[in-house]
């Protein structure tokens, strides 16, 4: 029996072993860089209306995540998380070549995925991963002040011993 998309993505999220406290999507990007052992560069762009709002471009040595500059920080985090969802799901193809001339010299990219529609299984999977990643970051940010206070208290108590 096939596992549900959400279950597969929840399993993948656990396998990422994100730190307990992440304060932004940049922390998640840093973690994915370490896991993939290659740099991920975030690049804001003003993309044309009606087109993709984000893209993942993998070169032979690093990954670029392009995201819409002219949108809310929450939407930017969702776009970045979506592209990370593609990376962490092992996706490798997309009909995104139309965006390549806007971003890089032709032929420079080995993998390019552009976030535009959710008609394919890969896009639905990447968006489910994005939802889970953003929720993880938001929940972590809510826990962070409480954890910081607890850590500070434990450090104070350990100095008394």
């Amino acid at each position: 029996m096939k596992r549900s998309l959400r279950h597969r993505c929840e399993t993948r999220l656990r396998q990422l072993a994100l730190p307990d406290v992440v304060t932004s999507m940049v922390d998640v990007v840093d973690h994915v860089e370490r896991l993939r052992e290659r740099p991920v560069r975030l690049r804001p762009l003003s993309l044309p209306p009606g087109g993709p709002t984000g893209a993942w471009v993998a070169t032979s040595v690093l990954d670029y995540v392009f995201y819409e500059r002219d949108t809310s920080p929450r939407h930017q985090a969702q776009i970045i998380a979506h592209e990370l969802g593609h990376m962490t799901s092992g996706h490798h193809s997309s009909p995104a070549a139309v965006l390549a001339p806007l971003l890089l010299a032709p032929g420079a990219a080995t993998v390019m995925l552009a976030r535009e529609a959710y008609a394919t299984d890969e896009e639905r999977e990447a968006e489910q991963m994005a939802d889970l990643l953003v929720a993880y970051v938001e929940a972590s940010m809510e826990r962070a002040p409480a954890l910081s206070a607890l850590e500070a208290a434990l450090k104070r108590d350990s100095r008394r011993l």
Side-chain angles (χ1 to χ4, degrees):
M1 180 189 328
K2 238 177 150 174
R3 293 186 297 172
S4 75
L5 173 64
R6 183 170 178 92
H7 185 268
R8 284 194 320 267
C9 291
E10 287 171 341
T11 299
R12 189 169 302 113
L13 180 68
R14 283 190 299 279
Q15 291 169 343
L16 286 177
L18 290 166
D20 289 335
V21 177
V22 291
T23 58
S24 71
M25 195 53 63
V26 173
D27 291 342
V28 177
V29 169
D30 291 344
H31 186 77
V32 170
E33 280 182 323
R34 286 189 295 280
L35 290 176
R36 291 171 51 84
E37 299 179 336
R38 54 188 279 131
V40 175
R41 300 292 178 253
L42 299 176
R43 298 290 187 256
L45 289 176
S46 293
L47 296 165
T53 57
W56 164 39
V57 177
T59 70
S60 60
V61 294
L62 60 92
D63 295 299
Y64 290 96
V65 171
F66 297 94
Y67 61 95
E68 178 58 54
R69 173 191 324 253
D70 302 319
T71 191
S72 70
R74 172 65 168 75
H75 189 212
Q76 289 174 343
Q78 185 77 20
I79 296 165
I80 293 165
H82 179 97
E83 303 311 331
L84 294 175
H86 281 302
M87 284 182 211
T88 60
S89 298
H91 299 166
H92 293 290
S93 63
S94 173
V98 70
L99 193 56
L102 297 174
L103 305 175
L104 295 171
T110 58
V111 175
M112 181 169 171
L113 292 175
R115 181 173 192 249
E116 186 170 9
Y118 305 107
T120 68
D121 289 341
E122 284 187 351
E123 289 301 314
R124 284 187 288 276
E125 184 172 38
E127 192 60 17
Q128 180 66 70
M129 281 301 297
D131 291 345
L132 293 171
L133 286 168
V134 169
Y136 187 93
V137 170
E138 289 172 344
S140 176
M141 288 170 50
E142 288 175 10
R143 288 190 312 267
L147 287 174
S148 296
L150 177 60
E151 288 169 355
L154 290 173
K155 286 179 185 174
R156 272 196 310 273
D157 288 343
S158 67
R159 282 187 241 135
R160 292 183 189 169
L161 298 176

